Amino acid sequence: MNNYDEVTQNYKKWYLDLKEEKIFEKRRLEFLEYHQKKGVVRVQVEPTKRCNLKCVMCPIDEIDKEKAKDDLKLEDFELILTKLPESVTNICLSGLGEPFLNKDYIKMVKLASRKGYYVEVYNNGSFFNKEVLKYAGEVNFSVDGIDEEVLKNIRKNIKINKLFDSIKEAVENKGKCKIKLNFTANYQNYKNIKKVYDFCEIVGIDELQIQPTSNNYAIGGSRYKNFKKFIQKNGEIDWSIFSKEYSKNYNFKLTIWYPRKMKGFCAWGFSNIYITKDLEIINCCQRVTKPIVFGNLKEESFEEIYKKMQWFREKHIKKEDILICNDCPY
């Protein structure tokens, strides 16, 4: 489904216009009001903290190996489902690690789907199992380039043929499931976006989502400081290229999450909630290695923990400093 007009309008609405402080503040407050009124509608549940890749922007190596070795248990996922508020419609069953490494992953997707949730799957293509297509509402593959050199520079250890074979297999067997690609833009890959668009068209992708690269390493650590140099180079990105290269002739939908780089414009803690494999509710999906832990669903109700998060939401509304949110492009 082509959405050329929407893409063109959104470049102005969500990027150019937001450089004007008054417009930004108006849209920010409207955004937060909207997400407050919605209540919690989307929950992201982390199946594992293990991964086979070494992506340059991923802080997974900061996780203690002992803490990371055990995946989310099926019975714990069942417990999570019993504790979610009725307002929740979407469950994103993916997090810091590669979800298909969890031996019970398909069972979890199936369980959530049969309980009426729209299930989102995000994966790197290495262990994709087409069985998931029977139950998921959408399956997302991380693809930051088509050229081998570009992709291997970003996603270390990636088996490119396996990734593309998995995508093609998903498209061929998708049924009612949507197949999407996620492109994390950085200074190394953004000029190659036309090749990604053409790939989406040829293969038959339903939607491509583009997002900025964020520095998700623990603030103050050596890796955080080193990756700041990478983030600074991303200032070279011409964000207009993504809408300019998108043609009316393409048959896939394009969604672009533009960098905002200003405080208090976030749905996390409002309508979106992140739950770790250990059943902790934390700040968001970005800074997860040394997060703010608000509570644990093994010990408290969802409502009790959500209430304790009020200070976090208020700081966003008032644009007050939250250290863990610093430098977030969203």
Side-chain angles (χ1 to χ4, degrees), residues 279-282 292-297 299-300 305 308:
L279 276 66
E280 295 172 334
I281 289 183
I282 64 171
I292 300 170
V293 178
F294 296 102
N296 193 302
L297 287 172
E299 302 162 0
E300 301 170 87
I305 299 172
K308 290 197 297 185

Side-chain angles (χ1 to χ4, degrees), residues 2 5 19 91 102 135 235 242 315:
N2 186 284
D5 291 338
K19 294 181 179 182
I91 293 180
N102 186 313
Y135 314 109
F242 300 111
K315 280 185 175 288

Side-chain angles (χ1 to χ4, degrees), residues 63-276:
I63 299 289
D64 181 82
K65 286 184 171 57
E66 191 64 26
K67 188 174 182 181
K69 70 176 184 179
D70 296 323
D71 296 335
L72 175 67
K73 296 181 176 64
L74 183 59
E75 56 266 34
D76 284 342
F77 182 63
E78 291 172 338
L79 176 62
I80 290 172
L81 294 182
T82 66
K83 294 206 169 191
L84 295 181
E86 291 183 2
S87 57
V88 175
T89 58
N90 287 37
I91 293 180
C92 175
L93 250 175
S94 306
L96 184 64
E98 168 51 41
F100 282 99
L101 288 173
N102 186 313
K103 65 181 179 62
D104 292 319
Y105 187 62
I106 301 292
K107 292 178 182 178
M108 292 177 186
V109 175
K110 181 178 179 180
L111 178 62
S113 176
R114 291 199 167 170
K115 286 187 176 292
Y117 295 106
Y118 180 89
V119 183
E120 306 168 24
V121 171
Y122 288 75
N123 78 114
N124 64 31
S126 301
F127 307 103
F128 172 72
N129 183 336
K130 67 180 181 180
E131 182 75 9
V132 79
L133 298 168
K134 297 177 183 178
Y135 314 109
E138 62 183 67
V139 172
N140 297 262
F141 292 89
S142 298
V143 179
D144 301 324
I146 301 302
D147 293 343
E148 184 171 356
E149 183 179 354
V150 171
L151 194 51
K152 283 191 170 182
N153 279 342
I154 298 167
R155 298 193 178 267
K156 313 291 184 181
N157 301 334
I158 187 75
K159 301 283 193 296
I160 292 179
N161 290 338
K162 171 60 178 171
L163 168 62
F164 293 152
D165 286 346
S166 293
I167 294 170
K168 291 173 185 176
E169 183 182 27
V171 171
E172 290 168 1
N173 296 278
K174 68 178 185 176
K176 295 181 179 179
C177 182
K178 294 177 182 177
I179 308 302
K180 302 182 179 183
L181 300 189
N182 286 295
F183 180 91
T184 303
N186 63 57
Y187 72 94
Q188 296 176 336
N189 67 359
Y190 81 97
K191 290 182 180 178
N192 295 314
I193 194 60
K194 181 67 165 57
K195 291 183 180 180
V196 178
Y197 289 173
D198 291 343
F199 176 81
C200 290
E201 183 67 14
I202 292 167
V203 175
I205 297 302
D206 293 301
E207 183 176 350
L208 172 66
Q209 299 178 118
I210 299 173
Q211 62 188 11
T213 302
S214 55
N215 189 345
N216 294 330
Y217 291 97
I219 293 177
S222 59
R223 292 185 178 183
Y224 173 81
K225 292 174 183 176
N226 289 336
F227 199 64
K228 252 192 162 182
K229 299 171 186 175
F230 186 97
I231 295 295
Q232 287 167 353
K233 287 184 179 179
N234 288 343
E236 301 171 8
I237 297 175
D238 175 5
W239 281 89
S240 70
I241 194 173
F242 300 111
S243 56
K244 287 177 180 176
E245 294 287 1
Y246 183 65
S247 164
K248 288 183 178 181
N249 297 322
Y250 287 131
N251 291 296
F252 61 89
K253 180 180 179 181
L254 178 62
T255 299
I256 305 171
W257 299 95
Y258 291 103
R260 300 191 187 104
K261 300 180 182 178
M262 295 177 78
K263 288 182 180 179
F265 211 136
C266 186
W268 288 102
F270 292 87
S271 62
N272 284 18
I273 296 294
Y274 191 98
I275 303 173
T276 72

